[in-house]
Amino acid sequence: MANITFKNNPVTLLGNEVKVGDQAPNFTVLANDLSPVTLDSSKGTVRIISVVPSVDTGVCDAQTRRFNEAAASLEGVSILTVSVDLPFAQKRWCGAAGVDKVQVVSDHRDLSFGEAYGVAIKELRLLARAVFVIDKNDKVVYAEYVSEATNHPDYEAPVEAAKAAL
């Protein structure tokens, strides 16, 4: 399992670490209108899944905006940002931030994504920062678990992995 810290304190991640070459686990999260979103919702496309603790924090805000900007040059790639923020808060944040190319979804209800991808922080009921790229056949082609949850992920590598998977 990945060794992750949150503000330099070790945390316990629930679930199993996902590795390159694995079949991507299914999950159910909620869209801003409370409709379910699953891995199959974007079946047949390359997906970048950006995982953040909360869109209301500086690094998470920047991460979500960066992938929203990257979406303009990634035709045929679906980009999800997953957090445990409530769907209503996510919708408000997206409107204020002008984020409209990334689908921001909530894992608040049952941590389905967090446990399936090994990013649910037991002590905080937040998600650890991570980025995954899943190809059209639901194989994981890129996985990054950011060792310190308050640090930025690599932004270029997942974009390049998504382009290579097209």
Side-chain angles (χ1 to χ4, degrees):
M1 209 50 208
N3 288 322
I4 304 293
T5 57
F6 189 91
K7 295 185 177 180
N8 297 314
N9 295 307
V11 293
T12 308
L13 298 182
L14 303 174
N16 297 313
E17 185 174 353
V18 174
K19 295 183 170 86
V20 171
D22 288 352
Q23 188 71 21
N26 202 7
F27 56 85
T28 302
V29 292
L30 297 176
N32 296 160
D33 64 1
L34 302 180
S35 64
V37 175
T38 65
L39 182 66
D40 286 344
S41 298
S42 55
K43 192 162 193 63
T45 66
V46 173
R47 287 143 288 185
I48 295 175
I49 303 177
S50 171
V51 186
V52 300
S54 174
V55 293
D56 276 327
T57 63
V59 176
C60 301
D61 176 292
Q63 181 174 335
T64 304
R65 288 175 191 260
R66 281 285 294 269
F67 283 115
N68 191 64
E69 290 168 12
S73 65
L74 291 171
E75 192 170 324
V77 177
S78 300
I79 303 177
L80 292 176
T81 291
V82 184
S83 76
V84 293
D85 295 304
L86 292 174
F88 318 109
Q90 290 176 334
K91 183 176 183 178
R92 184 177 58 250
W93 180 88
C94 287
V99 168
D100 58 356
K101 294 173 185 65
V102 170
Q103 184 178 17
V104 180
V105 295
S106 176
D107 199 23
H108 178 76
R109 186 173 61 186
D110 49 11
L111 294 177
S112 170
F113 181 89
E115 291 182 2
Y117 285 73
V119 293
I121 300 174
K122 179 180 178 181
E123 295 84 354
L124 301 171
R125 194 178 165 77
L126 293 173
L127 301 180
R129 188 174 316 283
V131 181
F132 303 96
V133 178
I134 300 166
D135 73 8
K136 295 176 184 179
N137 299 312
D138 297 340
K139 291 283 186 200
V140 177
V141 296
Y142 179 87
E144 177 189 8
Y145 290 81
V146 180
S147 61
E148 165 52 51
T150 61
N151 290 344
H152 287 269
D154 185 328
Y155 292 110
E156 303 306 320
V159 169
E160 291 307 313
K163 287 178 180 177
L166 285 172

